[in-house]
Amino acid sequence: KQEVTQIPAALSVPEGENLVLNCSFTDSAIYNLQWFRQDPGKGLTSLLLIQSSQREQTSGRLNASLDKSSGRSTLYIAASQPGDSATYLCAVEGYSTLTFGKGTMLLVSP
Amino acid sequence: GAGVSQSPRYKVAKRGQDVALRCDPISGHVSLFWYQQALGQGPEFLTYFQNEAQLDKSGLPSDRFFAERPEGSVSTLKIQRTQQEDSAVYLCASSRDSRNEKLFFGSGTQLSVL
């Protein structure tokens, strides 16, 4: 059974810092890996999708990498802003489902 | 529609009551998923539809849970004889196709069973 682990569970940084969120998964037989953002009381918003044949994806200040063989992904957030405060979830797509980690709760203080 | 719509937004049920949760996916999206999210946890897969066909229901926790998508658009998740452990946020998501497509999530239905 696929297991997804995210480290750290929570992170607090001052505005302007660059930061890295980590995700690891146990079964490398995946179709893709996705990073989501979840604001309190809201659904999930897809940030980046990396297909299994790709190494990284970028969107604005976000960059996600994928090392499928080692079962790892990182989400890099450059020049963090208070509006980035949210929970960030990593998920891997297997046969028909996404398996999620528990998320990293990020707080960016002004 | 503009996004995935779920209703009701909040539902309070007495233990033993039946509930029905509705999901209206983005128009034209083939795939539809239901997830259950407990407080402080990531979403857990419940079931998956491709059009009207339920291709995977392995995540449904018991036979009290039933989902349908009869015309390949709107879906309903029904929970019979609700228990306190059913309290969670139920999220619906849809995508254009079944592989390597971004998922679009609704805001969820928060179910509280008293």
Side-chain angles (χ1 to χ4, degrees), chain A residues 30-34 49-52 91-93 98, chain B residues 100-101:
Chain A
I30 63 170
Y31 288 99
N32 62 63
L33 182 143
Q34 299 187 43
L49 183 153
I50 312 174
Q51 297 186 22
S52 62
V92 293
E93 182 174 354
L98 277 180
Chain B
N100 289 318
E101 292 281 346

Side-chain angles (χ1 to χ4, degrees), chain B residues 5-21:
Chain B
S5 177
Q6 291 188 247
S7 61
R9 184 72 181 88
Y10 302 94
K11 177 68 179 178
V12 178
K14 292 182 180 178
R15 191 169 53 184
Q17 188 178 356
D18 296 350
V19 298
L21 312 180

Side-chain angles (χ1 to χ4, degrees), chain A residues 1 31-32 34 36 38 41-49 51-52 89 93-103, chain B residues 9-10 33 35 37 40-45 48 55-56 58 89 91 98-108 110:
Chain A
K1 179 185 173 185
Y31 288 99
N32 62 63
Q34 299 187 43
F36 293 86
Q38 187 171 30
K42 301 286 181 63
L44 282 67
T45 300
S46 180
L47 298 173
L48 291 165
L49 183 153
Q51 297 186 22
S52 62
L89 292 147
E93 182 174 354
Y95 172 65
S96 66
T97 75
L98 277 180
T99 301
F100 283 84
K102 292 183 179 181
Chain B
R9 184 72 181 88
Y10 302 94
F33 303 81
Y35 287 85
Q37 186 174 26
Q41 304 293 314
E44 295 276 346
F45 170 77
Y48 160 58
L55 298 187
D56 189 341
S58 61
V89 175
L91 294 165
S98 60
R99 285 282 177 263
N100 289 318
E101 292 281 346
K102 283 188 176 182
L103 277 190
F104 294 84
F105 279 81
S107 296
Q110 184 170 328

Side-chain angles (χ1 to χ4, degrees), chain A residues 22-101:
Chain A
N22 296 290
C23 171
S24 62
F25 47 96
T26 55
D27 185 350
S28 61
I30 63 170
Y31 288 99
N32 62 63
L33 182 143
Q34 299 187 43
W35 283 93
F36 293 86
R37 167 184 174 140
Q38 187 171 30
D39 293 281
K42 301 286 181 63
L44 282 67
T45 300
S46 180
L47 298 173
L48 291 165
L49 183 153
I50 312 174
Q51 297 186 22
S52 62
S53 59
Q54 297 175 325
R55 298 284 294 190
E56 66 177 337
Q57 283 287 329
T58 297
S59 176
R61 294 182 294 108
L62 305 179
N63 175 274
S65 67
L66 173 63
D67 184 343
K68 201 175 84 160
S69 61
S70 67
R72 295 182 186 276
S73 175
T74 61
L75 178 66
Y76 177 82
I77 302 177
S80 58
Q81 302 171 358
D84 295 331
S85 299
T87 295
Y88 290 81
L89 292 147
C90 163
V92 293
E93 182 174 354
Y95 172 65
S96 66
T97 75
L98 277 180
T99 301
F100 283 84

Side-chain angles (χ1 to χ4, degrees), chain B residues 33-86:
Chain B
F33 303 81
W34 283 98
Y35 287 85
Q36 180 190 60
Q37 186 174 26
L39 191 64
Q41 304 293 314
E44 295 276 346
F45 170 77
L46 294 177
T47 187
Y48 160 58
F49 290 85
Q50 189 171 53
N51 296 307
E52 70 279 2
Q54 189 175 21
L55 298 187
D56 189 341
K57 56 181 181 180
S58 61
L60 296 177
S62 77
D63 58 8
R64 296 185 296 104
F65 286 71
F66 172 77
E68 60 182 4
R69 193 186 185 197
E71 297 179 358
S73 55
V74 172
S75 177
T76 304
L77 176 66
K78 298 179 180 178
I79 309 174
Q80 297 177 323
R81 305 181 302 282
T82 52
Q83 303 295 315
Q84 283 189 322
E85 62 262 29
D86 299 335

Side-chain angles (χ1 to χ4, degrees), chain B residues 22-44:
Chain B
R22 176 188 168 104
C23 173
D24 201 339
I26 293 173
S27 178
H29 276 196
V30 168
S31 296
L32 185 146
F33 303 81
W34 283 98
Y35 287 85
Q36 180 190 60
Q37 186 174 26
L39 191 64
Q41 304 293 314
E44 295 276 346

